[in-house]
Amino acid sequence: MNNLVTLHFPARSRTMPDQAAIHPGCRYDMIWPDSALTEYLNHLNDVNHDQQTGVVGAYRLSVDSAAIEPVDLSAQPPQCFVWDTDLLSPGMRRCLHIDPEGQRTTHDNRLTLIDAGLAAPEVRLLDNRPVLTISPWFELEWTTEAFASQLGLVQLVDSSRTVQFADGESLVLLDTETAGRDPVLYLNDSADSSAVKPVCPFQAQGGKQRFGFSTVVSQAILAEVRNNPVVSVSVLEKYTWYFMQNAAPDDPERHIWVPVHLPIVWGWSIRVQQRFDGVWDIFRKKLIMPIPSTEAPALPRWQNNSLRCQMAREL
């Protein structure tokens, strides 16, 4: 019998129909009554102050870092980006200068995770070279009732990839712990300069689609490293994936990427080695199936990427 598990998501507030809508990811001028300013300043001493107020001064994403900045109170007028409307207190809402003729809606953009899984890991031959691969897949429903938006994906990873040699020695090819305790941005191509990967085409307001999304994570299996024969490869990784939205990705001064779903966590622990006939095969595997997480930070943050963490780039 299948065991059905119900995921209880935090209650989502709805914009009142007689109010102009506040859109996550958009920039707003701020008018600070003393009470609201005091409320904001009280949270500035918190490490995750943005998690308390629902606004940030800026959210700058690159392949090397994700920087969250507080509101610049010296600007005239101060400006902020809203990243989560549900965290806005009534006082903070009143601070935001909203066009009174702006759009009114009782709905939000919504991404629904219908199903998710991992295709079985396998060793493939690509250009006559063995490559270890795994393919997470998702079935999604993307609805843009509130405003037109682009759906994207940020991929963070905690990773350790190690090769073992015939002489019993080993070499760590990738170790993200050297970058600190937090996950780093996953990159698999030195020519890739995008922190957020598009998931589907830009969707107009009122759009709704149900579709499948999958990608491949790979690890090249090297026959030798520095003239030392490789006998096995071990991979231990945990991924945290963030589905994000942006109303205007080409206008970063007025719009930022914001989460549209709880982070998805998945991972694998696997070992491949050569059989007696020289064919690479999987000898051990343990998979963490994709599940939504309430423990991962709501806004993705990183201070490095997996390519820069690679310890043996020149082999």
Side-chain angles (χ1 to χ4, degrees):
M1 179 180 295
N2 293 328
N3 295 319
L4 300 180
V5 179
T6 301
L7 295 173
H8 297 284
F9 295 91
R12 308 294 292 181
S13 63
R14 295 292 183 182
T15 305
M16 298 302 293
D18 61 342
Q19 295 178 335
I22 298 174
H23 290 162
C26 294
R27 188 188 70 187
Y28 293 93
D29 291 346
M30 308 186 76
I31 302 173
W32 289 97
D34 290 342
S35 58
L37 180 57
T38 300
E39 174 190 349
Y40 182 78
L41 291 175
N42 286 339
H43 286 298
L44 279 183
N45 293 327
D46 298 336
V47 174
N48 296 318
H49 67 274
D50 50 274
Q51 312 286 9
Q52 309 296 326
T53 62
V55 301
V56 294
Y59 182 45
R60 308 188 191 282
L61 308 184
S62 72
V63 295
D64 293 319
S65 67
I68 298 172
E69 301 176 6
V71 175
D72 181 3
L73 301 179
S74 66
Q76 294 298 326
Q79 295 179 330
C80 72
F81 290 95
V82 173
W83 72 269
D84 190 332
T85 56
D86 288 343
L87 291 179
L88 298 176
S89 67
M92 185 64 71
R93 284 179 176 270
R94 289 192 292 270
C95 288
L96 304 180
H97 183 265
I98 305 168
D99 182 359
E101 301 302 320
Q103 178 188 2
R104 290 166 171 78
T105 177
T106 59
H107 303 288
D108 301 313
N109 287 357
R110 184 174 64 257
L111 181 69
T112 303
L113 177 63
I114 299 170
D115 200 4
L118 291 174
E122 61 178 338
V123 177
R124 302 177 182 176
L125 284 178
L126 298 177
D127 298 326
N128 293 320
R129 296 182 60 185
V131 176
L132 174 63
T133 66
I134 190 168
S135 300
W137 58 267
F138 304 89
E139 186 177 355
L140 304 166
E141 184 176 85
W142 174 223
T143 304
T144 47
E145 295 184 64
F147 55 92
S149 188
Q150 174 70 62
L151 183 64
L153 176 67
V154 170
Q155 306 170 78
L156 303 187
V157 64
D158 294 286
S159 177
S160 175
R161 295 181 174 185
T162 306
V163 294
Q164 291 78 35
F165 301 114
D167 62 6
E169 297 296 320
S170 63
L171 174 67
V172 177
L173 298 179
L174 173 63
D175 181 8
T176 61
E177 288 189 6
T178 59
R181 298 176 59 186
D182 297 325
V184 303
L185 183 71
Y186 173 70
L187 295 178
N188 199 35
D189 183 352
S190 58
D192 188 355
S193 60
S194 175
V196 186
K197 308 297 188 292
V199 172
C200 61
F202 190 89
Q203 186 162 298
Q205 183 184 356
K208 181 178 181 179
Q209 61 173 314
R210 184 168 176 170
F211 64 97
F213 171 76
S214 65
T215 187
V216 175
V217 172
S218 62
Q219 163 68 58
I221 300 174
L222 305 171
E224 62 179 34
V225 177
R226 298 169 185 164
N227 298 320
N228 200 350
V230 173
V231 296
S232 68
V233 178
S234 298
V235 176
L236 175 61
E237 293 181 330
K238 184 181 79 171
Y239 288 83
T240 307
W241 283 10
Y242 292 80
F243 287 99
M244 312 282 283
Q245 69 166 329
N246 193 319
D250 296 331
D251 187 6
E253 295 303 313
R254 298 184 62 84
H255 299 274
I256 60 172
W257 289 98
V258 293
V260 73
H261 194 278
L262 289 174
I264 307 295
V265 173
W266 67 275
W268 60 335
S269 174
I270 197 162
R271 181 185 179 95
V272 295
Q273 62 189 61
Q274 283 184 308
R275 302 188 314 221
F276 66 91
D277 57 2
V279 174
W280 289 92
D281 204 354
I282 296 173
F283 277 73
R284 187 201 71 214
K285 66 178 179 180
K286 181 179 180 180
L287 306 180
I288 302 173
M289 305 304 288
I291 55 171
S293 170
T294 57
E295 297 181 358
L299 280 175
R301 308 183 188 207
W302 63 92
Q303 295 296 323
N304 216 326
N305 65 64
S306 57
L307 288 182
R308 290 172 60 91
C309 292
Q310 197 166 330
M311 297 177 62
R313 290 189 292 270
E314 302 296 334
L315 303 176

